[in-house]
Amino acid sequence: MEALIAEHEKLSKSGTLSESLDDIQRIIDILVRAREAAAASPEDTSSILTKLQNPVKSSFEDIRKDLEDVRKQQTKYAKLLDKKFKDKVLPQMEYDALSSQPTRINRAIAMHLLREGQFSVASTFLTEAQSTTEDMTMTGTEQDVGLDSLKSEDLRKQFGNMYYILHQMKNERNLLPAIEWAREKREELAKRVSNLEFELGKLQFIWLFIGPHSASPNTRPNILQGRQRALNYARHQLSHFRSRYFKELQQLCGAIAFCPNLEQSPYRRMFINNDAWDQIATTFTKEFCSLLGLSADSPLYIAATAGAIALPHFSKLEVIMKAKGTEWTTDHEIPVEVPLPPSYRFHSIFVCPVSKEQTTDQNPPMMMPCGHVVAQESLLRLSKN
């Protein structure tokens, strides 16, 4: 894997067409100057064209060499990719849960495009997807999750506003649009017991304290001005958080006493955190989507990633089933456990250690006096015996 990463870095640095583009621009400039010279002196056109041959030929040769170098690097990188990620036949399952749900799939794709800010692409996709599904007979459930709701202009404006705030936050280091949005949604955020508004205000305090262009808070010449700006901001904008975040406010204001030497202070981790902006951006995205009734991450992205993680296990399962002559008999359950990361576990699943079956609402888990947990049906069978 190290060789692949090294080749990727090499390709990203030198395997571009920037030099070829420079050579092409050089040819264009030569031809433009020759055309202007020929227009100014028509009698010298023949000599001008003769002089063009060598520089143009040389530039074309440079372009050919540049393209050849790029082609060699891409070929080498492609061979390493093929060697590392060998082509494997995907497992063939008879039960296809998605083939009968075209509307749900189209909705997931359209929602993913909207969440990524690709509004024009999403609009075109929705129009074409709806034209292909108009003649289909849809069930009531499919109609409930139709595509009409995604054409809402309000939904696009909401995502447009989200991306504007994220751009200001990540690229401009401007938290004011996010703070303003959090204030407008204060009641909704309070119902979710969210601390987003305070975290935004806290980061704004730190940003004012340290300053936007300081590599180290101890070397900034106007650190005293930053301290005063942060203190004024806390007095006017953070005072209403005293009842809930009194300890955190104490820590922010206590750092003022260590102003000349924050790096050696107890508040170093709070004020010198390179991941703070990414963390607040992630929190903002999560809360914004939650108020829209959506998950923080795109469901299409989550499903595709989980599927990619599960594929090797299904491929191994298919090999074992063919060797033993068995079949996958459960349509709505997978026969093996897929080790998904914790962030992809959205609800708990309990499998009875006695019957090896997953518990349901009709067969819930039951705890015995000894502390062991089994399914209700297993408990009844054990009690009869």
Side-chain angles (χ1 to χ4, degrees):
M1 197 66 183
E2 289 77 9
L4 183 61
I5 295 175
E7 191 64 29
H8 176 77
E9 293 177 353
K10 182 179 178 182
L11 181 63
S12 62
K13 292 178 180 178
S14 58
T16 63
L17 298 176
S18 57
E19 294 182 0
S20 299
L21 293 175
D22 293 339
D23 293 331
I24 292 172
Q25 186 60 48
R26 194 178 301 113
I27 294 177
I28 294 174
D29 294 339
I30 292 173
L31 294 176
V32 169
R33 287 195 298 268
R35 183 184 62 184
E36 293 174 351
S41 304
E43 64 277 4
D44 298 330
T45 301
S46 178
S47 61
I48 293 173
L49 293 176
T50 302
K51 294 178 180 178
L52 277 178
Q53 293 181 3
N54 289 335
V56 170
K57 183 178 179 180
S58 175
S59 296
F60 273 113
E61 185 65 23
D62 292 339
I63 294 173
R64 188 192 65 78
K65 290 181 179 179
D66 294 337
L67 294 176
E68 183 66 21
D69 291 340
V70 172
R71 187 192 66 80
K72 287 180 179 178
Q73 293 184 35
Q74 290 178 342
T75 302
K76 184 178 180 181
Y77 183 65
K79 289 181 179 179
L80 286 174
L81 280 176
D82 294 338
K83 183 178 179 181
K84 180 63 180 178
F85 305 103
K86 296 180 180 179
D87 223 4
K88 293 183 179 180
V89 180
L90 295 178
Q92 301 296 323
M93 302 298 177
E94 295 182 0
Y95 177 70
D96 188 355
L98 299 178
S99 60
S100 60
Q101 306 287 342
T103 306
R104 291 179 182 271
I105 297 173
N106 290 337
R107 178 182 173 85
I109 296 173
M111 180 59 73
H112 179 77
L113 293 172
L114 287 173
R115 295 171 70 112
E116 292 296 314
Q118 303 292 335
F119 303 120
S120 60
V121 179
S123 178
T124 303
F125 175 81
L126 285 169
T127 302
E128 296 184 1
Q130 194 163 32
S131 65
T132 58
T133 56
E134 283 179 349
D135 299 332
M136 294 182 181
T137 303
M138 295 187 295
T139 64
T141 305
E142 285 180 309
Q143 291 174 356
D144 292 340
V145 296
L147 304 178
D148 290 336
S149 60
L150 298 185
K151 291 188 175 182
S152 169
E153 188 65 26
D154 180 64
L155 183 62
R156 301 184 190 186
K157 287 182 179 179
Q158 293 275 14
F159 280 116
N161 185 34
M162 184 185 78
Y163 275 96
Y164 166 75
I165 294 174
L166 287 174
H167 173 78
Q168 290 292 313
M169 190 183 302
K170 293 180 178 180
N171 296 50
E172 306 295 334
R173 290 294 191 260
N174 180 14
L175 290 169
L176 296 182
I179 293 173
E180 184 64 28
W181 179 87
R183 287 173 180 167
E184 293 176 0
K185 305 294 183 180
R186 181 175 294 171
E187 292 184 4
E188 292 92 331
L189 292 172
K191 292 178 182 178
R192 289 179 43 79
V193 197
S194 170
N195 62 345
L196 176 63
E197 185 180 359
F198 174 74
E199 291 297 328
L200 288 168
K202 175 181 171 182
L203 186 57
Q204 179 71 1
F205 177 94
I206 295 172
W207 187 84
L208 290 171
F209 195 131
I210 296 177
H213 306 296
S214 177
S216 171
N218 301 330
T219 59
R220 187 164 177 79
N222 59 347
I223 188 68
L224 296 179
Q225 296 178 8
R227 181 179 66 177
Q228 190 60 44
R229 288 197 301 267
L231 187 59
N232 292 338
Y233 179 81
R235 286 171 176 169
H236 294 91
Q237 304 297 335
L238 301 180
S239 57
H240 62 281
F241 290 112
R242 282 179 297 183
S243 58
R244 184 178 177 186
Y245 299 102
F246 184 72
K247 182 178 180 180
E248 288 83 354
L249 289 173
Q250 278 185 321
Q251 292 175 344
L252 289 176
C253 296
I256 295 176
F258 295 86
C259 176
N261 193 23
L262 273 176
E263 289 189 350
Q264 278 72 44
S265 73
Y267 308 103
R268 181 184 187 281
R269 183 174 297 179
M270 179 186 297
F271 279 78
I272 307 175
N273 182 4
N274 296 328
D275 299 326
W277 291 89
D278 291 334
Q279 291 171 357
I280 198 66
T282 301
T283 303
F284 169 78
T285 303
K286 178 181 178 181
E287 296 295 343
F288 193 102
C289 292
S290 296
L291 294 186
L292 293 178
L294 303 171
S295 60
D297 296 319
S298 166
L300 183 64
Y301 171 80
I302 294 174
T305 305
I309 295 173
L311 272 178
H313 300 276
F314 290 152
S315 298
K316 185 177 180 180
L317 173 66
E318 188 176 44
V319 173
I320 296 175
M321 288 193 302
K322 286 182 178 179
K324 294 186 176 182
T326 58
E327 295 182 355
W328 184 354
T329 57
T330 54
D331 288 346
H332 301 286
E333 296 179 12
I334 56 177
V336 293
E337 183 178 358
V338 178
L340 294 175
S343 59
Y344 279 35
R345 298 174 185 173
F346 300 101
H347 53 85
S348 59
I349 295 175
F350 177 76
V351 177
C352 176
V354 177
S355 64
K356 309 300 181 184
E357 294 178 352
Q358 182 177 320
T359 55
T360 62
D361 292 339
Q362 293 73 31
N363 184 26
M366 306 291 289
M367 179 179 289
M368 295 186 290
C370 60
H372 291 88
V373 180
V374 296
Q376 186 179 46
E377 293 179 359
S378 299
L379 180 62
L380 292 175
R381 286 196 295 268
L382 289 171
S383 62
K384 289 180 180 178
N385 296 332

